[in-house]
Amino acid sequence: MNTFLHQPRLAADDLFSALRVLFPQTQPMRSTTTAGVEVVSVLVASDRVRDVWDEWRGKHGETGWWPYVSLISPEGLTSGGCLHEDVDAAVLENMVAEVVRQDHDARAASIVVSSFLWSADHAYLEEGELEEWLDDYDPDRLAPRLSPAIAEPLPGVSRWVAEDPNSWYWRDQRWLHFVPARGGYEVPVMLPGLIGTGNGTHYLPPVDDAALLRRWHEQWGAELYFASGSYLELVVDRPPLDPRSAAQAATELTGYCEDTVEDPRAAGDGMVRSTMWTLWWD
């Protein structure tokens, strides 16, 4: 039977065995979602998890398993507490097929337009204010307001890997989950509900997450690094450094997560040009 689901090169048993050797003090775990997606997980010290993630990200072409960091345990992934229980194997197959077939650039553009229309409709704008509102969503209008091009990316620092956003205390370990996926952009579809994207009643389906993440991966080398409920971080290998590219990224991030990118101009001069994009939804 033909399937659009990604088939990893490394068997789950072999990945599990390799992690057992590498992390003897924190034995790995295996879990399976209601849709039949197997996830292999291991606890890693917070101060080491970025290096471990980088190592296994580099091995993705050999293994076919995408690693991402999270606060959510393997039990949390499969208990229905964070993932959609109504996504069975057939629904998952259809979603992955849509991701594989879709024009992700066109879909990403449509998402930004839809977000603008939704936000403008709920902003109760006075006559003439719509033009000012467009300044944040039109990269050609935003770019002249940004700083000149910079030579090197700004340093990006992870916020959620060091700090637990759901608690007042700090933890010294993070879960590293391995998901059979073509890339980090496919993880929100394999684990629907993993990312709590949305604004009020304007929620995005996982295929929209995948479209934007894939576009950002191809444009700027953005990779899914951390995902835990309403918190998301992307490691960005080639962030946009000139005003026009930074404006493009800033408007797309505004359309995706206005809760974080409240000021596209500040984001276009700051976070967008850094090697880490940190997002969260209220």
Side-chain angles (χ1 to χ4, degrees):
M1 176 181 176
N2 293 329
T3 178
F4 285 93
L5 297 179
H6 175 67
Q7 305 301 316
R9 294 186 176 185
L10 185 67
D13 289 345
D14 295 333
L15 174 61
F16 184 78
S17 297
L19 293 175
R20 286 186 65 181
V21 173
L22 292 170
F23 300 95
Q25 302 303 316
T26 57
Q27 288 296 309
M29 298 179 62
R30 298 170 71 165
S31 54
T32 304
T33 70
T34 55
V37 177
E38 185 165 16
V39 181
V40 181
S41 311
V42 66
L43 275 172
V44 181
S46 297
D47 59 357
R48 286 192 57 213
V49 73
R50 174 60 191 270
D51 291 337
V52 176
W53 178 83
D54 274 327
E55 177 184 356
W56 284 92
R57 173 178 63 145
K59 295 178 179 179
H60 174 258
E62 305 169 25
T63 68
W65 295 83
W66 186 264
Y68 79 92
V69 185
S70 185
L71 299 171
I72 300 173
S73 68
E75 295 91 342
L77 286 178
T78 57
S79 66
C82 90
L83 305 184
H84 291 305
E85 296 183 54
D86 56 348
V87 175
D88 58 19
V91 172
L92 177 67
E93 175 73 37
N94 289 335
M95 288 197 302
V96 173
E98 186 175 357
V99 169
V100 172
R101 293 168 169 170
Q102 72 180 351
D103 182 335
H104 49 277
D105 285 328
R107 187 162 194 148
S110 176
I111 294 165
V112 174
V113 171
S114 296
S115 175
F116 163 72
L117 294 174
W118 186 92
S119 297
D121 185 54
H122 289 75
Y124 306 105
L125 301 177
E126 300 292 338
E127 184 177 354
E129 290 182 332
L130 185 62
E131 285 298 308
E132 295 181 12
W133 198 256
L134 276 169
D135 288 344
D136 291 345
Y137 281 86
D138 185 340
D140 290 327
R141 297 170 68 151
L142 177 61
R145 299 156 57 205
L146 299 185
S147 301
I150 59 177
E152 298 290 337
L154 301 174
V157 178
S158 172
R159 177 175 180 179
W160 308 134
V161 169
E163 179 182 354
D164 181 350
N166 297 310
S167 176
W168 292 104
Y169 61 87
W170 297 61
R171 297 179 182 175
D172 59 359
Q173 291 180 316
R174 290 287 178 264
W175 284 104
L176 188 64
H177 298 300
F178 292 82
V179 183
R182 292 174 177 82
Y185 65 88
E186 215 175 62
V187 172
V189 178
M190 300 303 294
L191 304 176
L194 177 67
I195 304 173
T197 58
N199 183 357
T201 58
H202 184 64
Y203 292 99
L204 298 179
V207 290
D208 282 358
D209 293 316
L212 284 164
L213 292 181
R214 186 173 182 184
R215 169 173 167 72
W216 297 338
H217 163 71
E218 294 178 356
Q219 289 292 315
W220 300 297
E223 303 282 22
L224 179 68
Y225 172 55
F226 178 91
S228 192
S230 298
Y231 305 93
L232 175 68
E233 285 187 325
L234 307 176
V235 167
V236 189
D237 294 332
R238 308 181 306 276
L241 304 181
D242 64 275
R244 181 56 179 78
S245 298
Q248 183 67 48
T251 58
E252 293 179 13
L253 283 164
T254 300
Y256 185 55
C257 186
E258 194 174 6
D259 288 349
T260 300
V261 191
E262 296 179 344
D263 184 347
R265 182 175 180 179
D269 283 339
M271 180 185 73
V272 163
R273 303 194 199 196
S274 79
T275 55
M276 181 77 71
W277 293 353
T278 296
L279 307 171
W280 65 93
W281 288 262
D282 291 333

